[in-house]
Amino acid sequence: MVVIDLLANALSTIMNNEVRGKKECLIYPVSKLVINVLRVMQKEGYIGNIEYIDDGRGGKLKVELLGRINKCGVIKPRFPVKKNEFEKWEERYLPARDIGLLIVSTPQGVMTHIEAKKRGIGGVLLAYVY
C-alpha cells in the first residue's frame, strides 16, 4: 500500500480511533512533520503521550488518546496565510470563536495560529483540530 499524504493518514487514524473510543492508536509510517504536528496537539492538550517506535522502515508512533478531539483533519491544498489573514481561515475551518485551533507551518517551526498571530508571522496551513 502506498501512502501519499502521511499527515492526512495520521490525522484520520487518530480521528477513527477517537470515534471508536480507543485509548491509544498506532500511526505508521511517520515523518518529522507528523511528529511536529502531534507535538503541537499534545502541547495544547488534545492528545497524551507520544512514543516513537523504530522498526527499521518508516517508524511508528504510539499515541495516547484522551477523548478530547471532536474533529481533526488536514487542510488541502496547503494554503499560504499572511499574518493578518487568520480570521478568514478560522471562520472556514473552526466551529466557533475561541474553539479549536489551526496548525500552521511557519519559518520558525510548526505552531498554532494563535502563537503565529502573537509572533506576527504567517505561514502555510497544515491542519485543524477541535
Side-chain angles (χ1 to χ4, degrees), residues 88-106:
K88 172 178 128 180
W89 300 102
E90 285 178 54
E91 290 173 9
R92 182 179 289 187
Y93 289 106
L94 300 180
R97 193 173 206 88
D98 296 331
I99 295 177
L101 49 95
L102 299 172
I103 300 175
V104 186
S105 176
T106 66

Side-chain angles (χ1 to χ4, degrees), residues 2 4 7 9 11 18-19 25 28 35 37-38 56-57 59 62-63 66-67 74 86 95 100 102 114 118 126:
V2 177
I4 303 294
L7 182 60
N9 184 36
L11 292 180
E18 192 79 56
V19 168
C25 69
Y28 58 91
I35 293 171
V37 168
L38 293 181
R57 292 184 294 234
K62 187 184 282 186
V63 179
L66 303 175
V74 72
F86 284 111
L102 299 172
I114 300 164
K118 285 180 188 171
L126 294 176

Side-chain angles (χ1 to χ4, degrees), residues 58-127:
K60 296 179 183 180
L61 283 177
K62 187 184 282 186
V63 179
E64 179 187 348
L65 301 175
L66 303 175
R68 295 188 182 148
I69 297 175
N70 293 320
K71 185 158 188 197
C72 68
V74 72
I75 297 175
K76 286 285 233 177
R78 293 187 173 154
F79 295 107
V81 182
K82 294 181 181 171
K83 63 182 178 182
N84 52 2
E85 290 181 346
F86 284 111
E87 298 259 336
K88 172 178 128 180
W89 300 102
E90 285 178 54
E91 290 173 9
R92 182 179 289 187
Y93 289 106
L94 300 180
R97 193 173 206 88
D98 296 331
I99 295 177
L101 49 95
L102 299 172
I103 300 175
V104 186
S105 176
T106 66
Q108 297 178 10
V110 177
M111 61 184 73
T112 67
H113 73 285
I114 300 164
E115 194 176 338
K117 269 197 238 180
K118 285 180 188 171
R119 293 187 187 186
I121 53 177
V124 181
L125 292 177
L126 294 176

Side-chain angles (χ1 to χ4, degrees), residues 14-15 17-19 21-23 41-49 64-72 99-101 129-130:
I14 288 174
M15 190 65 213
N17 284 287
E18 192 79 56
V19 168
K22 302 281 185 175
K23 294 294 178 197
M41 291 171 65
Q42 181 183 27
K43 189 174 79 174
E44 296 297 321
Y46 285 100
I47 59 176
N49 294 331
E64 179 187 348
L65 301 175
L66 303 175
R68 295 188 182 148
I69 297 175
N70 293 320
K71 185 158 188 197
C72 68
I99 295 177
L101 49 95
V129 60
Y130 56 87

